[in-house]
Amino acid sequence: MPGPPPDPMPDPASGSEPAPGPASGPEPTPGPASASGPLPEPGPGPGPGDGTAPGPGPGPAPARAPGRVGGFRRSVLVPLAAAAMLVAGTGGWYAVEKSGGPPARSAAGGPGEAVTPLARSLHLPWPREGQASVAVEGIGSLGTRGAQKPVPIASVTKVMTAYVILKNHPMRAGAPGATVVADQRSADESYSSVETTAPVIAGKEYTQRLLLELMMVPSGNNIARLLARWDAGTEEAFVAKMNRAAAGLGMRATTYTGVSGMETSTRSTSEDQLRLARTAMKDPSFRQIVATASVAAPGTGTVFRNTNKLLGRDGVIGLKTGSSTPAGGNLVWATTQEVAGTTRLIVGVVLHQRAGTTPAEGSAAAHEAGHALITTIREELPRAAARG
C-alpha cells in the first residue's frame, strides 16, 4: 500500500490549486449557462500537461499574418450545400438533416459533413494555426479550418478510451457502474513527475464511474491504463478495440497507439475528433462525467479540478483537454445555446495550438481559441437563425 499522498499536483496548464472538494453532481440541464468572463491567466512555466511529459522550453512565437486580430482569423464561411431542415431530435439536441441537393464537402475539402447555409452569416474567429471544426446538432457543420493532416492529440485520446469503456460496459445516468479493483501497477503509477496521474490503492474496489471521472477530470493516465486492462486484459488489446471503434465511426485519418495520449504516434484530425465527440455526447453517462467540475480520490485526501477551464461558463458542459510539446494545446468542447426556440448542442474541436512550446502555453492557446469560437457562435447563431 502506498504511503501518505503528496500534496495535490497543481494543474499544469493553469497553475491553479485543486478545488477544495468534489463538485460532481447531477447532469447539467441543456440550455444557456453561466455568464462569460475573462479567460484565466496562463499558468506559470512548463509542467506535465494533460498526461504527457514536459518538453523543451518555448520556441519563438509564430508571426501574425496581415488582417488577423487577436491571434484569430475572422472569416465569413461560404456554404456549398442547399438548405438544411431543422428537426428536433433526442432531448432537443440531435436532429435529422436533409438537403435539396447533393451533399457538400466540409470546409477542408474532405469527406466531412455538409456545411450548413446558416454558417454564411457567422463571422467565426477561427484559430490562425492548427485545426478546428465545429458543428451544431440539428443544424449541421459550421465548418473546418486547417489542413486535415493527422497530428498528435495528447490526452484528447481519452475521449475514445471512455467511449469504448462505456460501449462495452454501459452505465445508466447517475449509476456507479461496474466494480473495478485497482491493480498493483496502477497504484505504483499513482504519482509521477512526467505524466498526469490520479492516486489509487492496490486491491481497493472502485466504481467504474469514479475511475472514468479520475481519467477524464484530472486526466489520469494510470487510470486510463487500468481501465484498459480491466476491459480487455491488456492495453494492446484495448488499443485494437479503439481502432475498430474509430473505423466504425468513419474516423479515416485517426490511429490510436495507446490509451492515454502519451504516445505521439496516436494521431487524428479535428474533423475525426468532432465525429467522435458528437457520438460520445449522446450517452448521458458520458455527458455527466465530462461535466464534472472536480473529483476526489477516495482514501488519499486528494481532490482534482477539471482541466477544462471553460467548464461551467458560456454554457460549456464538457469535454476534454490535452497538451504536450509535440501535440501543442488541444481542446474538445461542448456548449449549449437556444436557437429559434430549441436548445442546441454545439461541439467543437481545436487541435495543435502552439505545438513545440510548453504544455502550459499550448493549453492556454487552445482554451483561448475555444473560448473565442464559443462566445462568437453563441452570440451570432441565434440572430442568424432568426434572420433565416
Side-chain angles (χ1 to χ4, degrees):
M1 180 177 298
D7 291 337
M9 181 184 296
D11 175 57
S14 72
S16 60
E17 291 297 327
S24 174
E27 180 183 4
T29 302
S34 56
S36 70
L39 277 175
E41 291 296 322
D50 282 334
T52 55
R64 291 187 178 180
R68 290 166 179 166
V69 180
F72 300 98
R73 174 178 56 220
R74 280 193 172 269
S75 61
V76 180
L77 187 60
V78 179
L80 302 175
M85 181 174 67
L86 307 185
V87 183
T90 305
W93 287 359
Y94 300 97
V96 177
E97 294 186 12
K98 298 180 180 179
S99 67
R105 292 191 180 274
S106 68
E113 180 181 6
V115 177
T116 174
L118 196 60
R120 68 161 57 93
S121 301
L122 306 180
H123 297 71
L124 299 186
W126 296 103
R128 62 185 176 87
E129 62 181 316
Q131 308 174 20
S133 300
V134 181
V136 184
E137 300 302 340
I139 293 178
S141 170
L142 298 186
T144 288
R145 283 295 182 273
Q148 292 298 287
K149 175 183 178 181
V151 294
I153 58 174
S155 283
V156 166
T157 299
K158 295 183 178 83
V159 177
M160 179 59 87
T161 305
Y163 173 76
V164 172
I165 288 291
L166 287 170
K167 185 178 179 181
N168 295 342
H169 308 274
M171 291 167 42
R172 296 190 311 275
T179 298
V180 182
V181 178
D183 59 18
Q184 188 62 51
R185 180 177 169 187
S186 60
D188 291 344
E189 295 173 345
S190 287
Y191 303 102
S192 173
S193 62
V194 297
E195 63 175 343
T196 52
T197 59
V200 290
I201 300 170
K204 182 178 176 62
E205 293 184 348
Y206 296 87
T207 66
Q208 175 186 346
R209 180 188 178 92
L210 176 60
L211 291 178
L212 285 168
E213 289 175 348
L214 288 172
M215 180 180 74
M216 298 297 280
V217 174
S219 205
N221 286 353
N222 61 321
I223 307 301
R225 295 189 287 264
L226 169 61
L227 285 169
R229 293 190 296 271
W230 167 70
D231 172 86
T234 67
E235 293 170 34
E236 293 77 13
F238 190 85
V239 170
K241 290 186 177 185
M242 295 170 72
N243 283 308
R244 286 196 294 271
L249 292 173
M251 299 168 64
R252 301 175 185 174
T254 297
T255 302
Y256 292 101
T257 60
V259 303
S260 68
M262 278 286 287
E263 303 81 5
T264 59
S265 49
T266 288
R267 293 174 176 249
S268 189
T269 64
S270 61
E271 284 192 336
D272 274 7
Q273 289 302 307
L274 180 63
R275 185 185 299 266
L276 170 60
R278 294 174 72 182
T279 303
M281 284 296 284
K282 295 179 182 179
D283 185 328
S285 292
F286 181 90
R287 293 201 303 270
Q288 287 183 331
I289 289 163
V290 297
T292 302
S294 65
V295 60
T300 67
T302 307
V303 179
F304 295 98
R305 271 184 171 172
N306 199 308
T307 57
N308 183 355
K309 306 307 175 195
L310 304 184
L311 189 65
R313 303 168 58 238
D314 301 302
V316 174
I317 57 173
L319 219 146
K320 187 71 186 78
T321 64
S323 60
S324 70
T325 295
N330 305 276
L331 177 65
V332 182
W333 51 264
T335 186
T336 59
Q337 177 62 43
E338 185 172 305
V339 181
T342 300
T343 299
R344 299 291 183 184
L345 177 67
I346 308 167
V347 184
V349 178
V350 175
L351 298 182
H352 220 51
Q353 301 298 296
R354 300 290 290 137
T357 64
T358 65
E361 186 173 347
S363 178
H367 279 82
E368 182 182 359
H371 182 258
L373 285 167
I374 289 166
T375 54
T376 300
I377 292 167
R378 294 185 83 230
E379 178 182 356
E380 295 188 6
L381 186 60
R383 293 202 299 258
R387 289 193 298 266

